[in-house]
Amino acid sequence: MPRLNDRELFETYKEQVYRLCRYMMQNPSDAEDLCQEVFVKALLADRSQVRDLKSWLLRIASNECNSVLRRRKNGWAKELRAYLLARPRLGNPVEESADRHEIKAEFDRMYGKLPDKIRLAVTLRYANDMTVPEIAGVLGIPEGTVKSRLNRGIKLLQQMAAFQEKEMIGNESVF
């Protein structure tokens, strides 16, 4: 594979790096800042020995995101937003919008409760469409660990959703 110049490197991988940062940070402005930091580090680094630029860049991005998240956990800030879930149409546009907003907020809350390592694996798999071997390369962990984290993430989200559903049903019977 021919070596990319700095501009080509940025243009080729900016969307994938941004998407990872966006889903990890759950905030577009934080994601933009971190994306810039990733490319500054990448452009200053010696890339002559790098075999897979995509994995290398995404590893830098995941490390940067994890550093910020770790600092926030120990400090003052909390994570914000994630991505939107689709829901069947109800017919009433105002109700649909309110329900979508409520579902998105609930999903963001549940997604934000996932442990960082699990959330990172889930984000790489489902937001970046990466394969298990690619994720293993980015995170520097065995493929079996990636599979375990993905499985655990799905199970945790299902458990949280089931609990939320039971809670909602319980609240409806009170009225």
Side-chain angles (χ1 to χ4, degrees), residues 17-35 38 60-73 76-83 108 111-112 116 119-120 123 127-128:
V17 170
Y18 173 78
R19 188 172 32 244
L20 173 64
C21 293
R22 172 68 174 95
Y23 287 112
M24 285 301 297
M25 301 310 299
Q26 301 180 1
N27 179 299
S29 59
D30 287 347
E32 288 172 8
D33 292 343
L34 282 167
C35 191
V38 167
I60 293 171
S62 72
N63 288 341
E64 288 295 309
C65 290
N66 282 329
S67 292
V68 169
L69 291 171
R70 207 172 11 262
R71 283 193 301 266
R72 285 184 180 178
K73 252 186 194 168
W76 50 267
K78 292 285 180 184
E79 300 171 12
L80 295 175
R81 295 270 159 233
Y83 54 172
D108 288 350
Y111 187 73
D116 292 343
R119 187 175 59 247
L120 179 56
T123 299
N128 286 59

Side-chain angles (χ1 to χ4, degrees), residues 129-169:
D129 291 324
M130 293 182 74
T131 64
V132 169
E134 288 174 326
I135 296 168
V138 168
L139 300 180
I141 58 176
E143 289 182 25
T145 305
V146 172
K147 291 176 186 177
S148 173
R149 289 180 184 177
L150 291 172
N151 187 36
R152 185 75 180 129
I154 299 299
K155 284 185 178 179
L156 285 170
L157 287 170
Q158 288 172 338
Q159 289 170 356
M160 286 186 266
F163 176 79
Q164 181 66 22
E165 187 177 354
K166 285 179 187 175
E167 195 174 89
M168 289 173 68
I169 291 171

Side-chain angles (χ1 to χ4, degrees), residues 1-150:
M1 179 177 173
R3 290 282 166 210
L4 301 176
N5 67 35
D6 292 347
R7 183 75 178 165
E8 292 169 332
L9 178 75
F10 177 75
E11 291 298 327
T12 302
Y13 296 107
K14 68 181 178 186
E15 290 177 22
Q16 294 170 352
V17 170
Y18 173 78
R19 188 172 32 244
L20 173 64
C21 293
R22 172 68 174 95
Y23 287 112
M24 285 301 297
M25 301 310 299
Q26 301 180 1
N27 179 299
S29 59
D30 287 347
E32 288 172 8
D33 292 343
L34 282 167
C35 191
Q36 283 180 342
E37 299 229 1
V38 167
F39 280 102
V40 166
K41 285 187 176 197
L43 297 177
L44 294 174
D46 175 20
R47 299 189 302 261
S48 63
Q49 300 300 315
V50 177
R51 291 184 189 169
D52 184 356
L53 286 173
K54 178 180 173 183
S55 292
W56 180 69
L57 282 170
L58 291 176
R59 176 175 274 190
I60 293 171
S62 72
N63 288 341
E64 288 295 309
C65 290
N66 282 329
S67 292
V68 169
L69 291 171
R70 207 172 11 262
R71 283 193 301 266
R72 285 184 180 178
K73 252 186 194 168
N74 296 332
W76 50 267
K78 292 285 180 184
E79 300 171 12
L80 295 175
R81 295 270 159 233
Y83 54 172
L84 190 55
L85 277 179
R87 183 174 168 153
R89 305 255 177 213
L90 300 174
N92 181 338
V94 174
E95 249 180 72
E96 279 181 41
S97 177
D99 283 347
R100 265 197 311 272
H101 181 72
E102 194 175 312
I103 289 168
K104 181 185 182 316
E106 186 57 31
F107 181 78
D108 288 350
R109 187 186 66 73
M110 290 187 302
Y111 187 73
K113 284 185 174 182
L114 290 176
D116 292 343
K117 290 179 179 181
I118 292 174
R119 187 175 59 247
L120 179 56
V122 169
T123 299
L124 288 171
R125 175 70 183 103
Y126 297 105
N128 286 59
D129 291 324
M130 293 182 74
T131 64
V132 169
E134 288 174 326
I135 296 168
V138 168
L139 300 180
I141 58 176
E143 289 182 25
T145 305
V146 172
K147 291 176 186 177
S148 173
R149 289 180 184 177
L150 291 172

